[in-house]
Amino acid sequence: MEAKHSSFSTSSTQQHTTPLPSDLPPIQAHPLSYELKATAQYARASLLQLPHGPLETPVFMPVGTQGTIKGLTAKQVDDIGFQIILGNTYHLGLRPGTELIRDMGGLHNFMKWPRNLLTDSGGFQMVSLSNLAEFTEQGVLFQSPVDGTTLMLSPEKSIELQNNIGADIIMQLDDVISSVSVDHERFVLATHRSVR
C-alpha cells in the first residue's frame, strides 16, 4: 500500500500546507500496521500505526462533524492527547464541500490537525435524516436540510468524498436502519446490501 502524503507537506512549493510539528513521528512509507498489546477476557488493547501517527485502542474519538471540535482549537484537542478525530462525510460534503477540502490539502490541513482522522461513510444519516432520504439499489438520495439540493450517496460516491477529505481511516457505506426497527425483511435487505 502506498502512503498518502497529500495532507501535510514540508515542501515550500505547495500552497496551503503546514509542516508537521517536530514532536510527531514522520509519515512512514508503509504506515498501516496493527499490534495486539494485551487481552483480558473479551477486551483487547492494540496499537495501530496510521499515516499520521500511532493510535492506541480502545480509544475515545471526539467528533468533529464539520471539521472542528466545537469550542476547542485543533491545538487544544492535540494538547489533551487525542490521537484521532471523527469527521462526518455527509456534512462535510454539504459544507464546505469535499472538493474545497481536497483543494486545501485535505481535512488535516483544512483544520490544522496533525494526527489521525476517521471519516464515517455518511450512512448514519440514513437514520438521522430518513425523512430527507430516498433509498434505492444504487444508494441513498438525500435532500439537503441546508438548501434543498440533492445528493446521491452511493458506495462509490462515499469513497470518493472520503478520499477528497483525506482521512486515515475510511468506512464503507452500509445500508443503515434504525436500531429499534422490527422490520425483519428490511434488516435482511440492508445486511445483504452491506456485505455483497
Side-chain angles (χ1 to χ4, degrees), residues 104-187:
M104 294 289 295
L107 189 57
H108 288 93
N109 197 52
F110 186 81
M111 64 185 288
K112 303 299 183 217
W113 175 247
R115 299 194 188 275
N116 298 298
L117 288 168
L118 178 145
T119 44
D120 68 354
S121 65
F124 180 73
Q125 278 66 46
M126 292 179 199
V127 175
S128 66
L129 297 176
S130 62
N131 60 324
L132 298 173
E134 178 183 326
F135 303 92
T136 72
E137 192 59 29
Q138 290 71 41
V140 183
L141 184 64
F142 284 105
Q143 181 180 2
S144 167
V146 176
D147 62 9
T149 60
T150 59
L151 165 69
M152 171 52 81
L153 188 62
S154 65
E156 298 83 1
K157 185 67 172 179
S158 173
I159 296 298
E160 176 190 328
L161 296 174
Q162 292 178 80
N163 281 334
N164 284 345
I165 292 167
D168 299 286
I169 300 174
I170 65 175
M171 298 290 159
Q172 78 174 32
L173 180 64
D174 287 316
D175 185 351
V176 181
I177 62 174
S178 171
S179 62
V180 297
S181 174
V182 294
D183 185 343
H184 181 73
E185 287 182 29
R186 178 71 177 93
F187 175 78

Side-chain angles (χ1 to χ4, degrees):
M1 178 173 271
E2 188 173 293
K4 292 171 79 174
H5 296 276
S6 61
S7 296
F8 277 97
S9 172
T10 56
S11 169
S12 61
T13 60
Q14 291 185 340
Q15 293 182 336
H16 309 295
T17 58
T18 302
L20 288 171
S22 59
D23 64 329
L24 291 180
I27 296 175
Q28 304 163 10
H30 299 285
L32 304 177
S33 67
Y34 174 83
E35 181 182 352
L36 181 63
K37 293 292 199 174
T39 62
Q41 295 182 337
Y42 296 109
R44 63 180 173 231
S46 305
L47 177 65
L48 289 168
Q49 289 292 340
L50 298 171
H52 289 87
L55 176 64
E56 298 170 306
T57 68
V59 63
F60 175 79
M61 191 179 320
V63 177
T65 299
Q66 293 183 313
T68 184
I69 305 296
K70 290 181 172 71
L72 296 172
T73 66
K75 182 177 182 334
Q76 289 169 323
V77 175
D78 190 28
D79 288 346
I80 292 169
F82 292 114
Q83 299 172 331
I84 192 166
I85 291 175
L86 184 144
N88 186 292
T89 298
Y90 174 81
H91 290 290
L92 289 166
L94 284 180
R95 294 182 295 189
T98 65
E99 295 83 8
L100 175 66
I101 292 170
R102 179 198 60 219
D103 293 347
M104 294 289 295
L107 189 57
H108 288 93
N109 197 52
F110 186 81
M111 64 185 288
K112 303 299 183 217
W113 175 247
R115 299 194 188 275
N116 298 298
L117 288 168
L118 178 145
T119 44
D120 68 354
S121 65
F124 180 73
Q125 278 66 46
M126 292 179 199
V127 175
S128 66
L129 297 176
S130 62
N131 60 324
L132 298 173
E134 178 183 326
F135 303 92
T136 72
E137 192 59 29
Q138 290 71 41
V140 183
L141 184 64
F142 284 105
Q143 181 180 2
S144 167
V146 176
D147 62 9
T149 60
T150 59
L151 165 69
M152 171 52 81
L153 188 62
S154 65
E156 298 83 1
K157 185 67 172 179
S158 173
I159 296 298
E160 176 190 328
L161 296 174
Q162 292 178 80
N163 281 334
N164 284 345
I165 292 167
D168 299 286
I169 300 174
I170 65 175
M171 298 290 159
Q172 78 174 32
L173 180 64
D174 287 316
D175 185 351
V176 181
I177 62 174
S178 171
S179 62
V180 297
S181 174
V182 294
D183 185 343
H184 181 73
E185 287 182 29
R186 178 71 177 93
F187 175 78
V188 170
L189 176 63
T191 302
H192 287 290
R193 281 182 176 159
S194 293
V195 299
R196 68 177 149 173

